[in-house]
């Protein structure tokens, strides 16, 4: 195939839940087109990256809750030298850190869909788009972002 | 008399193996380490067999058991490895070595670190220097973790560029400051015969015309890739008085990791930070000085915007005035008010995970730098801006104790 339906070609590593399975609800959620992240059931702190205990009140096993995949760009980069030869043909590409105001301003990393040369600014509103992959016997989903 | 316990220790020997472009060292890693240790011992006038402690950082490193066997050390009494990422641990390894001497755990402690890159294994390459082979799955939220690698956040440059873009776009630091920092390092390398970039000066035009790596990083914002090792010998200040070299004292040393600074997907409060916010005031208090007292600054450059963040956190500029303070003329040893990275640093001397910054600090206080700042008595050396754990040292001559 010379064209790809995914933002980056299928040469990147497959994300798996951690060995202890702690973050499995997040990855399962993405496959079901839901954004599932952690929120402490005790003190209600939103938590990302995931933890076994709430970093605020130290209660065990924060809840896994669904939140809307929308947010605003907190930081970005445009990658010209990706560190993987197979990505060179698609440079430049844009990676963003998206902040979720409805979820305690936790942040997620993704790609900004659209041309890699487009203008991008901190604070721009973005909405999530689930990007399904199947590779090496694994089905997984990335959460990508598009300008709102 | 000072009551700062750290001043009971001095750095008495420094040495390196020689530096080579990436993958071209004729020596394997272990021989580079031994050469650096021999050079540092020779400098101090200490027999290598007197070493009874070894300190390093950012594993995997050369095994201290191998070094002790090779040198026939009668007894290795202390060996420590600081848990840092990248070069964040350089100064911390010196702090650990000093602590061992103060606590009486060892008498002659060597800090040593090498970098040896196989041809093809590069810092920028996935599955390269840190990986090994083709990586097909990732999990967790660390460097190249599941939150990063599937989105093409692979190299150190990409990973650490988000924060730098906030420095430009949110804090408003002009790119001219980056150019000045980079050119000052290249300028200093032209006087330093050991520097890999000696003979290759960098003009403002060449900096500006260089290719993008990951915005806002251009090629000359990034550290070198090379082979080499650097060592330093620490002893008690008492012992140092009777050695060959002028003793260089530790006035302050420490390491730091701020709140949630290694949480996945950059979920810590202030990304516009080189990660020295908590450490800087503590070091100044310990040394009993402020930024106005520092004569020369050696700031680890993995990527140049991190240097600007470190300088802001240590009080040498604000984000508002960074463009005016961080000019080429102001950063060079020849007349600058803020002489920075006077050996050429990681950008233009050699990248030995920040060891070069400490030993250049030692040379400045001895008066033996190839870009000597007049009457340099106090030097700040920092390790690893932008890494979750960082560390820093303040070095001083006997005159300021
Ligand atoms: Zn809680």
């Amino acid at each position: 195939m010379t064209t790809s339906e995914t933002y980056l070609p299928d040469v990147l590593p497959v994300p798996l839940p951690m060995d202890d399975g702690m973050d499995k609800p997040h990855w399962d959620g993405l496959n079901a087109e839901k954004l599932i992240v952690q929120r402490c059931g005790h003190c209600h702190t939103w938590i990302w990256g995931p933890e076994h205990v709430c970093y605020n009140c130290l209660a065990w096993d924060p809840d896994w809750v669904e939140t809307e995949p929308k947010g605003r760009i907190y930081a970005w980069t445009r990658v010209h030298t990706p560190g993987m030869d197979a990505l060179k043909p698609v440079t430049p590409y844009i990676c963003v850190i998206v902040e979720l105001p409805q979820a305690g301003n936790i942040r997620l990393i993704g790609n900004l869909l659209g041309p890699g040369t487009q203008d991008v600014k901190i604070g721009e509103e973005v909405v999530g788009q689930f990007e399904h992959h199947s590779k090496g016997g694994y089905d997984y989903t990335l959460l990508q972002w598009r300008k709102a | 008399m000072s009551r700062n316990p750290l001043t009971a220790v001095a750095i008495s020997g420094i040495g390196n193996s020689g530096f080579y472009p990436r993958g071209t060292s004729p020596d394997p890693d272990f021989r580079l380490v031994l050469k650096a240790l021999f050079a540092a011992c020779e400098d101090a006038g200490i027999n290598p067999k007197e070493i009874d402690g070894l300190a390093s950082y950012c594993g995997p490193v050369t095994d201290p058991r191998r070094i002790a066997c090779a040198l026939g050390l009668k007894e290795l009494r202390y060996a420590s490895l600081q848990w840092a990422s990248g070069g964040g641990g350089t100064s911390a390894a010196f702090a650990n070595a000093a602590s061992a001497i103060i606590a009486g755990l060892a008498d002659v402690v060597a800090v040593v670190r090498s970098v040896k890159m196989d041809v093809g294994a590069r810092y920028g390459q996935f599955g390269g220097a840190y990986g090994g082979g083709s990586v097909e799955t990732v999990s967790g939220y660390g460097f190249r973790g599941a939150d990063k690698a599937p989105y093409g956040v692979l190299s150190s440059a990409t990973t650490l560029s988000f924060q730098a873009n906030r420095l430009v776009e949110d804090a408003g630091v002009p790119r001219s400051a980056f150019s000045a920092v980079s050119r000052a390092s290249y300028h200093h390398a032209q006087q330093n015969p050991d520097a890999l970039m000696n003979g290759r000066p960098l003009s403002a035009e060449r900096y500006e015309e260089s290719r993008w790596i990951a915005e806002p990083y251009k090629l000359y914002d990034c550290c070198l890739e090379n082979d080499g090792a650097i060592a330093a010998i620490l002893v008690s200040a008492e012992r140092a008085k009777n050695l060959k070299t002028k003793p260089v004292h530790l006035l302050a040393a420490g390491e730091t990791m701020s709140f949630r600074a290694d949480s996945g997907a950059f979920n810590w409060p202030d990304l516009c930070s080189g990660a020295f916010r908590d450490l800087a005031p503590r070091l100044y208090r310990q040394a009993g000085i402020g930024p106005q007292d520092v004569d020369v600054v050696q700031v680890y450059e993995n990527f140049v915007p991190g240097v600007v963040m470190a300088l802001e956190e240590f009080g040498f500029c604000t984000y508002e005035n960074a463009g005016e303070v961080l000019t080429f003329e102001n950063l060079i040893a020849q007349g600058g008010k803020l002489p920075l990275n006077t050996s050429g640093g990681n950008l233009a001397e050699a990248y030995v995970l920040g060891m070069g910054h400490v030993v250049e600090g030692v040379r400045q206080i001895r008066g033996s730098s190839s870009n000597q700042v007049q009457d340099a008595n106090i030097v700040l050396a920092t390790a690893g801006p932008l890494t979750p754990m960082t560390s820093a040292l303040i070095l001083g001559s006997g005159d300021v104790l």
Side-chain angles (χ1 to χ4, degrees):
Chain A
M1 274 182 43
T2 53
T3 59
S4 172
E5 293 168 19
T6 55
Y7 181 73
L8 294 175
D10 222 0
V11 295
L12 288 159
V14 174
L16 294 182
M18 293 160 72
D19 288 344
D20 63 13
M22 186 263 276
D23 60 344
K24 194 168 181 296
H26 173 68
W27 298 104
D28 288 349
L30 291 181
N31 280 341
E33 303 209 344
K34 290 178 186 281
L35 174 56
I36 311 268
V37 296
Q38 279 189 324
R39 189 179 195 191
C40 176
H42 184 67
C43 75
H44 309 299
T45 299
W46 293 87
I47 300 166
W48 203 253
E51 302 288 356
H52 285 278
V53 294
C54 167
Y55 68 79
N56 183 46
C57 74
L58 307 186
W60 283 97
D61 302 317
D63 294 337
W64 288 94
V65 298
E66 184 174 358
T67 190
E68 215 180 329
K70 64 171 193 185
R72 58 185 174 227
I73 293 172
Y74 182 77
W76 60 274
T77 184
R78 195 187 319 271
V79 181
H80 298 256
T81 306
M84 184 186 254
D85 289 344
L87 286 179
K88 279 183 188 163
V90 296
T91 57
Y93 59 88
I94 298 173
C95 304
V96 287
I97 298 175
V98 175
E99 188 174 61
L100 310 182
Q102 71 281 10
N105 289 326
I106 60 165
R107 301 171 195 150
L108 303 170
I109 298 172
N111 297 117
L112 182 67
L113 300 177
T117 52
Q118 69 184 302
D119 281 341
V120 47
K121 289 243 176 318
I122 290 171
E124 281 187 290
E125 308 266 327
V126 288
V127 291
Q129 184 166 322
F130 296 92
E131 185 185 88
H132 299 291
H133 292 246
S134 188
K135 183 183 171 186
Y138 298 103
D139 293 320
Y140 64 96
T141 303
L142 300 180
L143 179 54
Q144 303 289 29
W145 301 91
R146 181 179 293 289
K147 286 185 184 177
Chain B
M1 286 298 285
S2 171
R3 297 176 60 199
N4 179 351
L6 270 181
T7 58
V9 176
I11 302 174
S12 285
I14 54 174
N16 70 54
S17 61
F19 306 129
Y20 306 90
R22 174 177 62 86
T24 66
S25 159
D27 288 314
D29 184 71
F30 191 62
R31 290 176 71 97
L32 294 173
V33 166
L34 294 181
K35 282 185 171 177
L37 285 169
F38 287 157
C41 287
E42 164 78 26
D43 181 52
I46 278 187
N47 186 325
K49 288 188 181 288
E50 281 194 62
I51 293 171
D52 62 357
L54 289 162
S56 194
Y57 56 99
C58 184
V61 298
T62 305
D63 193 320
R65 296 168 295 190
R66 283 298 316 130
I67 296 171
C69 277
L71 299 182
L73 301 185
K74 188 159 172 287
E75 184 190 13
L76 181 67
R77 297 201 289 153
Y78 175 81
S80 69
L81 178 69
Q82 196 264 355
W83 289 33
S85 38
T90 321
S91 298
F94 281 81
N96 290 340
S99 307
I101 292 169
I102 292 164
L105 304 179
D107 293 325
V108 179
V109 182
V111 179
V112 65
R113 191 68 174 76
S114 61
V115 170
K116 174 83 167 71
M117 309 187 77
D118 295 330
V119 176
R122 309 189 59 178
Y123 285 137
Q125 290 292 318
F126 194 66
Y130 291 109
S134 66
V135 180
E136 291 177 338
T137 64
V138 286
S139 64
Y141 299 82
F143 184 59
R144 291 173 175 159
D147 58 330
K148 301 179 185 74
Y151 298 98
V153 180
L154 300 172
S155 68
S156 303
T158 303
T159 307
L160 300 182
S161 61
F162 296 104
Q163 290 160 270
N165 249 331
R166 281 196 69 87
L167 185 73
V168 175
E169 192 177 325
D170 189 50
V173 170
R175 288 199 51 87
S176 65
F178 307 158
S179 171
V181 168
S182 185
R183 284 183 292 125
S185 286
Y186 271 78
H187 166 81
H188 292 137
Q190 305 318 309
Q191 331 298 322
N192 175 2
D194 283 353
L196 286 168
M197 291 297 133
N198 186 291
R200 294 178 63 181
L202 177 65
S203 66
E205 294 69 34
R206 205 164 117 234
Y207 171 89
E208 210 44 59
E209 286 162 9
S210 70
R211 62 192 166 91
W212 289 110
I213 304 298
E215 294 179 30
Y217 299 150
K218 294 203 148 188
L219 179 65
Y220 294 107
D221 290 318
C222 304
C223 67
L224 294 172
E225 297 178 303
N226 50 242
D227 302 338
I230 296 178
I233 302 291
L234 282 75
V235 294
S236 72
E238 276 309 300
R239 173 86 195 269
K241 284 181 195 164
N242 303 314
L243 293 174
K244 271 166 66 183
T245 52
K246 174 180 168 179
V248 173
H249 299 271
L250 277 69
L251 305 184
E255 62 187 292
T256 183
M257 176 178 157
S258 298
F259 176 72
R260 296 272 292 159
D262 199 27
S263 52
F266 299 88
N267 275 274
W268 58 94
D270 181 13
L271 288 204
C272 220
S273 164
F276 295 105
R277 197 74 70 200
D278 294 330
L279 180 62
R282 196 162 78 237
L283 285 195
Y284 284 138
R285 258 198 318 278
Q286 187 180 13
I289 64 162
Q292 70 284 354
D293 301 312
V294 176
D295 299 311
V296 192
V297 184
Q298 311 292 337
V299 178
Y300 189 107
E301 329 90 314
N302 34 13
F303 303 102
V304 162
V307 177
V308 177
M309 296 182 197
L311 291 171
E312 189 269 341
E313 289 175 307
F314 275 97
F316 297 104
C317 66
T318 64
Y319 290 148
E320 288 70 33
N321 72 10
E324 292 127 60
V325 175
L326 306 181
T327 62
F328 175 78
E329 292 71 22
N330 210 21
L331 297 177
I332 60 173
Q334 296 74 14
K337 290 200 190 87
L338 182 60
L340 176 73
N341 295 341
T342 48
S343 66
N346 288 340
L347 299 178
E349 184 191 39
Y351 177 77
V352 189
L353 284 161
M355 286 293 290
H357 295 91
V358 180
V359 301
E360 171 63 8
V362 170
R363 285 190 292 260
Q364 283 289 352
I365 288 171
R366 288 181 181 175
S368 64
S369 168
S370 50
N371 290 278
Q372 186 60 44
V373 173
Q374 226 180 352
D375 302 323
N377 282 304
I378 297 180
V379 176
L380 171 72
T382 78
L386 303 170
T387 56
M389 286 188 84
T390 63
S391 60
L393 284 176
I394 298 173
L395 302 174
S397 70
D399 297 344
V400 296
L401 291 187

